[in-house]
Amino acid sequence: MAVTLDAQLLEILACPAPDHAPLRTGTPDDPSADALTCTSCGRVYPVRDGIPVLLLDEATTPESDEPRSDGA
Amino acid sequence: MGAKDLERLRRHWNKQARHYDRQMTFADRKFFGDTRQWICGQASGDVLEVALGTGLNLPWYPGGVRLTGVDLSPEMLEHARRRAADLGREVDVRVGDAQRLEFPDSSFDTVVSTYSLCAVPDERAAVEEMWRVLRPGGTLLLADHVVSTSAPVRLLQRLVELVSVPVGGENFRRRPIRHVRALGFTVERHERFKLGIVERLAARKPAA
């Protein structure tokens, strides 16, 4: 199931990191993945059971080697 | 506050999710009275509820508000989602940290939080975040159990904390209103009852 968030909701969704930059749906590699990606810092946040998990500790950073939680 | 502590708290609240409503309904009846109605009845416009939990406030919001809810525990949010569906209400939920909210500045007309600041590790940081995401002129609505005005009860609260803080991070001697005032909110309505243990307030962030 791809992330289905309406435009209005995406407008108020931002990265919890201090710059609070906007998020984009999907990952850089897979725009239809169950995830949200920060347009500034590149952190990828998982979406589990349709609920975005916007915790810094749960995010995958672009340079980290941790497995992606989006199943991509 | 390290990642491990936050994870521990999350596990604690995930475990609480199943029994939370029963315990809380009891507390609502015995202590908090009409506080949920009092708080939610003053909400308007774009509303953020911090620590939505199982959504016990959901039935009390006016029909016209647009609701977003954040909680540390996905299991709590699962209950809230079911409750919202039963009530026929729309609510956007996401897992988040009250101390680092995932919204741009000035995103909401109202921020609500009930019985949560007692359990947030850094409650001042949480109130600062509430201020940040509120629009100028927006309303902050808080209710919680706080330190009593009665000395014997204060002693009891101190004793309870010896267990409740290590077990679930729950504090009984806080006064969030101090942070609310210190940040520059104007407290417009304020009530304290049950030996000063229950405190609820409506405060406004000054218009720009």
Side-chain angles (χ1 to χ4, degrees), chain B residues 4-206:
Chain B
K4 247 198 235 150
D5 298 325
L6 206 62
E7 180 52 35
R8 209 170 71 84
L9 268 185
R10 188 144 76 121
R11 278 204 306 270
H12 172 77
W13 288 108
N14 276 342
K15 269 194 296 201
Q16 296 297 312
R18 233 166 358 128
H19 308 291
Y20 186 80
D21 282 10
R22 211 174 44 217
Q23 289 163 9
M24 206 57 212
T25 309
F26 176 79
D28 274 339
R29 216 173 38 231
K30 286 277 176 207
F31 293 101
F32 302 126
D34 65 346
T35 296
R36 293 186 190 277
Q37 295 94 307
W38 190 90
I39 292 282
C40 299
Q42 300 181 66
S44 66
D46 293 330
V47 178
L48 172 67
E49 183 167 337
V50 176
L52 178 69
T54 62
L56 284 171
N57 286 331
L58 291 175
W60 305 107
Y61 283 107
V65 304
R66 188 164 151 240
L67 262 179
T68 304
V70 168
D71 201 281
L72 191 57
S73 157
E75 304 210 358
M76 286 277 196
L77 289 178
E78 224 19 86
H79 286 264
R81 264 209 308 204
R82 267 203 300 271
R83 191 185 311 272
D86 291 345
L87 291 165
R89 286 208 81 114
E90 293 243 351
V91 55
D92 289 320
V93 300
R94 72 275 322 264
V95 176
D97 177 358
Q99 302 159 115
R100 288 169 180 267
L101 290 175
E102 60 273 28
F103 305 99
D105 300 356
S106 306
S107 299
F108 297 96
D109 301 302
T110 308
V111 173
V112 168
S113 199
T114 58
Y115 319 124
S116 67
L117 289 174
C118 52
V120 174
D122 183 347
E123 89 271 29
R124 190 191 160 89
V127 178
E128 281 172 4
E129 280 290 83
M130 292 172 187
W131 167 281
R132 184 181 66 75
V133 302
L134 264 176
R135 297 187 177 124
T139 307
L140 175 67
L141 299 163
L142 295 179
D144 221 320
H145 55 83
V146 299
V147 66
S148 175
T149 45
S150 142
V153 176
R154 281 202 299 274
L155 178 64
L156 198 66
Q157 288 177 313
R158 187 186 208 109
L159 292 173
V160 170
E161 277 190 350
L162 293 177
V163 178
S164 70
V165 172
V167 168
E170 177 134 359
N171 294 269
F172 286 86
R173 294 183 297 150
R174 288 181 169 174
R175 284 295 303 284
I177 194 169
R178 291 191 188 129
H179 306 305
V180 170
R181 289 205 168 108
L183 278 168
F185 280 103
T186 310
V187 176
E188 295 188 333
R189 276 172 295 280
H190 172 218
E191 294 178 8
R192 202 172 171 193
F193 50 95
K194 294 277 179 193
L195 301 173
I197 296 171
V198 183
E199 187 164 50
R200 58 196 193 186
L201 64 93
R204 192 166 303 282
K205 179 175 175 175

